[in-house]
Amino acid sequence: SVLAMGLAWDVTDGVNIDLDASAVCLDSRLNLVDLIYFKNLRSADGSIHHSGDEREGDEVGDDEKIIVALNAVNPRVEHIVFVINSYSEQELDDVAMASCHLFDPIKRIDLATYTLTNNASLDKHTAVLLADLYRDASTRDWMMRILSVPSQGKTARRCIGHIADYLKAVPPSTAAIPPNPDVVMTEMPVAVALEQDISFAPDDEEVVVATAM
């Protein structure tokens, strides 16, 4: 019904590090529809909210969060790609206690966790394309797949070309099957169906869950 991405890190070697979480919204032609990041904290349709820029990594818990109300997303948006960038341009694998997770903020259940610190694949990289939320071509249900693609750039805008190129080269599988909801996953599957309608209350960031009667 609602999905969130949380990012956390710590001061490294006495230096304040500035990591940023962003959501890149693309249409069916992989053109940019919206970009939610530290200078644009809410999507134009109001469905995606960013908690704001944290520049020092000294908050308790997640330093930055992005929350997506799936049923309120602009119908033009086919992909929402979560991106992590090192605005201060430190290599991501060198940042202390750096990790992120994709989770259900209502049930407070993690769907996937990802460690950036000491991650060899991120050596010499200042960005990572973390995950792709996309609409299934036939059912139009929201699906999610982990990308885990190293990239470069101190801002998400600098990664948009790489995102589009990657999604063209490696499109979502048409054979993705939603997992059994009663099975607890220890690793993120290629795709997960996201169900239940949700919306944000007007003029408020409280999440409202709507269930069928």
Side-chain angles (χ1 to χ4, degrees):
S1 60
V2 60
L3 184 72
M5 191 265 279
L7 171 65
W9 71 97
D10 206 350
V11 173
T12 304
D13 296 329
V15 177
N16 290 333
I17 307 297
D18 187 4
L19 299 187
D20 293 314
S22 304
V24 178
C25 301
L26 304 175
D27 65 15
S28 60
R29 295 175 178 259
L30 303 180
N31 295 316
L32 182 67
V33 176
D34 209 342
L35 175 59
I36 297 83
Y37 68 119
F38 62 89
K39 288 187 177 181
N40 182 41
L41 300 180
R42 182 176 296 196
S43 61
D45 57 24
S47 68
I48 305 176
H49 294 228
H50 193 297
S51 64
D53 191 22
E54 164 58 39
R55 300 183 180 182
E56 298 179 352
D58 57 2
E59 294 292 314
V60 176
D62 290 327
D63 292 287
E64 293 191 8
K65 284 191 277 294
I66 297 175
I67 299 176
V68 183
L70 294 171
N71 75 326
V73 175
N74 183 335
R76 286 183 57 211
V77 174
E78 292 287 323
H79 297 268
I80 302 172
V81 179
F82 292 112
V83 183
I84 305 297
N85 296 86
S86 175
Y87 189 79
S88 48
E89 298 188 287
Q90 279 83 7
E91 296 174 15
L92 289 177
D93 63 318
D94 292 336
V95 180
M97 302 295 289
S99 65
C100 53
H101 61 139
L102 296 162
F103 65 100
D104 181 333
I106 297 175
K107 296 181 180 179
R108 299 184 181 276
I109 297 174
D110 273 350
L111 301 177
T113 60
Y114 188 92
T115 299
L116 287 78
T117 303
N118 297 325
N119 187 328
S121 67
L122 299 178
D123 187 35
K124 310 300 182 186
H125 289 86
T126 57
V128 59
L129 315 183
L130 180 66
D132 175 27
L133 269 173
Y134 65 95
R135 298 184 194 268
D136 182 82
S138 57
T139 67
R140 306 304 292 161
D141 289 336
W142 282 104
M143 307 290 283
M144 182 171 68
R145 62 173 177 157
I146 296 298
L147 303 181
S148 185
V149 176
S151 190
Q152 295 288 6
K154 61 187 295 183
T155 65
R157 189 172 295 278
R158 297 186 181 184
C159 296
I160 292 173
H162 185 196
I163 294 170
D165 289 344
Y166 181 85
L167 294 181
K168 286 177 183 176
V170 190
S173 171
T174 57
I177 300 175
N180 185 333
D182 296 326
V183 176
V184 177
M185 306 298 296
T186 56
E187 294 184 1
M188 194 65 191
V190 172
V192 173
L194 301 170
E195 301 177 351
Q196 191 176 37
D197 290 341
I198 65 98
S199 62
F200 284 113
D203 301 321
D204 194 354
E205 293 190 7
E206 178 183 358
V207 176
V208 178
V209 180
T211 57
M213 299 299 291

